[in-house]
Amino acid sequence: MGIYWTNHHLFQLVEKVNGPVLWANLNLLFWLSLLPMTTDWMDASDLSRVPVLIYGVDLLLAALSYWLLSRTLVRSQPSESLLNQALGDDRKGFWSPILYGIGIAAAAGADYLPTHLGVGVAIAMYMLTGLLWVIPDRRVERVVASA
């Protein structure tokens, strides 16, 4: 949750907000609101396969929602806006769904992976993705500093 909060600072570059931006932001907040429940379920089950898989799906949907929010923000701003200057190449946004997808596939891999190995790979992919985002997006910081 903290990672999303710190990266949500891209709103400091937003010049205008419209209905689609509000809905995209609400969509992100919905998936984030499920994280405490999916985290608790995963913990209560001692990292059973299904709760770890559902947790990964929640993480994936939150990541896709964040991407959707950033694209919606870009479309809603003037082309010369500071936000559009800041959000160009998005490597972390590209890799996050892929890593989450690998984790989900590993957690779901009942036929080809032992449960403990699949769950371990899933947790590792979820953690790796989180580590990518621990440092807030520097593209926004650079534009704010130069503005």
Side-chain angles (χ1 to χ4, degrees):
M1 298 287 273
I3 290 170
Y4 278 100
W5 179 252
T6 58
N7 284 286
H8 204 253
H9 75 289
L10 62 87
F11 269 92
Q12 65 187 316
L13 298 176
V14 172
E15 295 176 23
K16 80 177 199 181
V17 173
N18 58 19
V21 168
L22 294 175
W23 281 107
N25 197 41
L26 189 60
N27 179 49
L28 171 62
L29 293 173
F30 171 74
W31 295 111
L32 292 176
S33 75
L34 296 180
L35 281 173
M37 183 201 63
T38 57
T39 303
D40 184 55
W41 184 28
M42 189 174 60
D43 178 50
S45 75
D46 292 324
L47 301 177
S48 294
R49 186 182 296 276
V50 171
V52 170
L53 184 143
I54 298 299
Y55 178 74
V57 170
D58 190 18
L59 290 172
L60 174 63
L61 291 170
L64 292 173
S65 296
Y66 184 83
W67 175 84
L68 177 66
L69 173 61
S70 66
R71 295 298 103 206
T72 304
L73 281 168
V74 164
R75 284 193 308 272
S76 72
Q77 304 308 300
S79 58
E80 67 283 348
S81 72
L82 292 176
L83 180 71
N84 287 345
Q85 292 173 34
L87 299 183
D89 181 31
D90 187 10
R91 288 186 210 125
K92 291 192 290 187
F94 173 79
W95 282 105
S96 295
I98 292 170
L99 294 172
Y100 286 143
I102 292 168
I104 292 166
D111 294 336
Y112 61 90
L113 284 176
T115 298
H116 68 280
L117 181 60
V119 166
V121 169
I123 298 294
M125 291 298 105
Y126 304 159
M127 289 175 63
L128 177 61
T129 307
L131 288 173
L132 287 175
W133 288 94
V134 166
I135 298 170
D137 199 331
R138 290 188 176 133
R139 297 172 300 167
V140 172
E141 301 297 326
R142 278 187 229 120
V143 170
V144 168
S146 68

